Amino acid sequence: MKYLVLSLVPVSVFLAGCETSPHRLAMISAGYTGCPIEDNIVKHPKLYFEGMSWRVTCGKAEYICTSVSSGGESVESRCARAKKEEDLP
């Protein structure tokens, strides 16, 4: 049993790293920003129990993105244009 626990730790760390890879997040964001993958700049990725969030900029536009597990292996991702400070209540 000791060997099983030790062997699972690197796998879980690897999988968590894949989810937050900036390239992967830029790929997900491209469909929302309308910019090519290489023009999306990913910032502030945060991993939560239910999913993750990150910000992406493309040119002067900034987007807030989320990715949430909807059960099993299904993941739902969305991005929306971030509000400017003057637009906030």
Side-chain angles (χ1 to χ4, degrees):
M1 188 60 145
K2 181 179 179 181
Y3 296 107
L4 177 62
V5 171
L6 292 176
S7 67
L8 291 177
V9 171
V11 172
S12 63
V13 169
F14 174 75
L15 290 176
C18 289
E19 286 298 314
T20 58
S21 125
H23 182 73
R24 180 176 171 84
L25 298 178
M27 288 176 59
I28 293 168
S29 305
Y32 295 97
T33 64
C35 294
I37 296 166
E38 58 274 4
D39 291 346
N40 286 318
I41 300 169
V42 175
K43 299 186 275 184
H44 311 298
K46 294 181 182 178
L47 194 56
Y48 300 97
F49 180 74
E50 307 88 359
M52 63 181 311
S53 69
W54 66 96
R55 289 181 173 259
V56 62
T57 56
C58 176
K60 294 182 180 181
E62 184 173 26
Y63 297 81
I64 298 173
C65 303
T66 58
S67 192
V68 179
S69 174
S70 52
E73 294 182 18
S74 179
V75 175
E76 194 173 314
S77 300
R78 296 180 189 251
C79 296
R81 187 93 181 247
K83 292 186 176 184
K84 297 178 182 174
E85 283 190 39
E86 59 268 13
D87 296 335
L88 295 174

